[in-house]
């Protein structure tokens, strides 16, 4: 889950504006689409507020949109037109860094891998299962069928939490 150079640049510009709105930056997606690009910012309640049950509101999203729009006007890091969206990460949140997954040990995650894992005809690039553990270089995951995987973090292209209604 390596950030592109453009997303890293945008993160450096946007993070202080998001923090000024008393919310946390969860992640940024930037999708250049010809003449009109998409910049999507995910925000989360601050950890101490999450502990009190606070969630991101529409008002939080509007405040971040306003703050970030001003910063982007000044820095002008995106060539051409773009659409700015601000949202909470939602129940099926994408993970933008390995560190974010630590809080979800014991829960179900879905991974898209860079290189397939497994043996013979059972090789797969998509794996879903319970996140058993994670360290600095790899994670352990148990699929619903009981198969266990030890996956290098460097082999993860995309990771999402799988929402399970209790």
């Amino acid at each position: 889950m390596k950030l592109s150079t453009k997303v890293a640049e945008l993160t450096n510009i946007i993070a202080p504006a998001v923090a000024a709105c008393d919310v946390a930056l969860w992640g940024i997606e930037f999708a250049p689409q010809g003449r009109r690009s998409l910049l999507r910012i995910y925000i989360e309640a601050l950890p101490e507020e999450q502990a009190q049950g606070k969630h991101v509101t529409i008002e939080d999203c509007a405040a971040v949109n306003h703050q970030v729009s001003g910063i982007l006007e000044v820095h002008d890091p995106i060539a051409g037109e773009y659409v700015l969206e601000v949202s909470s990460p939602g129940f099926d949140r994408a993970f933008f860094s390995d560190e974010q997954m630590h809080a979800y040990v014991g829960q179900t995650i879905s991974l898209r891998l860079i290189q397939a894992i497994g043996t013979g005809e059972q090789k797969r690039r998509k794996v879903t299962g319970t996140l058993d553990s994670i360290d600095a270089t790899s994670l352990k995951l148990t699929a619903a069928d009981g198969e266990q995987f030890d996956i290098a973090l460097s082999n993860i292209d995309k990771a999402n939490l799988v929402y399970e209604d209790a």
Side-chain angles (χ1 to χ4, degrees):
M1 292 184 300
K2 185 174 182 254
L3 294 179
S4 71
T5 305
K6 186 58 150 183
V7 170
E9 174 192 359
L10 289 166
T11 300
N12 289 335
I13 293 168
I14 291 169
V18 172
C21 296
D22 293 326
V23 292
L25 178 63
W26 181 259
I28 294 175
E29 290 178 351
F30 177 67
Q33 301 170 341
R35 293 179 32 185
R36 189 175 190 122
S37 300
L38 173 65
L39 175 59
R40 186 173 291 131
I41 301 170
Y42 295 98
I43 59 173
E44 181 72 293
L46 297 172
E48 56 273 12
E49 291 177 345
Q50 286 181 29
Q52 299 170 0
K54 182 181 185 298
H55 300 285
V56 169
T57 65
I58 288 180
E59 291 78 16
D60 293 327
C61 292
V64 169
N65 190 306
H66 178 75
Q67 191 80 6
V68 168
S69 292
I71 294 295
L72 293 175
E73 285 294 319
V74 171
H75 289 276
D76 198 23
I78 301 172
E81 295 179 28
Y82 63 91
V83 173
L84 173 61
E85 293 181 3
V86 179
S87 173
S88 80
F91 291 121
D92 58 347
R93 62 189 57 220
F95 295 110
F96 291 90
S97 70
D98 308 333
E99 295 80 27
Q100 291 174 330
M101 287 191 270
H102 288 270
Y104 296 91
V105 170
Q107 296 189 40
T108 304
I109 63 171
S110 176
L111 303 175
R112 184 174 71 204
L113 305 175
I114 297 167
Q115 294 182 343
I117 59 171
T119 56
E121 292 181 26
Q122 299 298 322
K123 287 190 172 239
R124 50 175 120 170
R125 287 191 57 220
K126 293 182 179 181
V127 182
T128 298
T130 302
L131 177 60
D132 298 318
S133 66
I134 182 169
D135 62 31
T137 59
S138 66
L139 61 79
K140 292 188 184 330
L141 185 115
T142 302
D145 64 4
E147 188 173 2
Q148 295 184 319
F149 298 93
D150 191 357
I151 301 168
L153 297 177
S154 61
N155 191 27
I156 299 173
D157 182 39
K158 186 174 181 169
N160 284 78
L161 182 66
V162 174
Y163 176 69
E164 296 175 336
D165 193 8

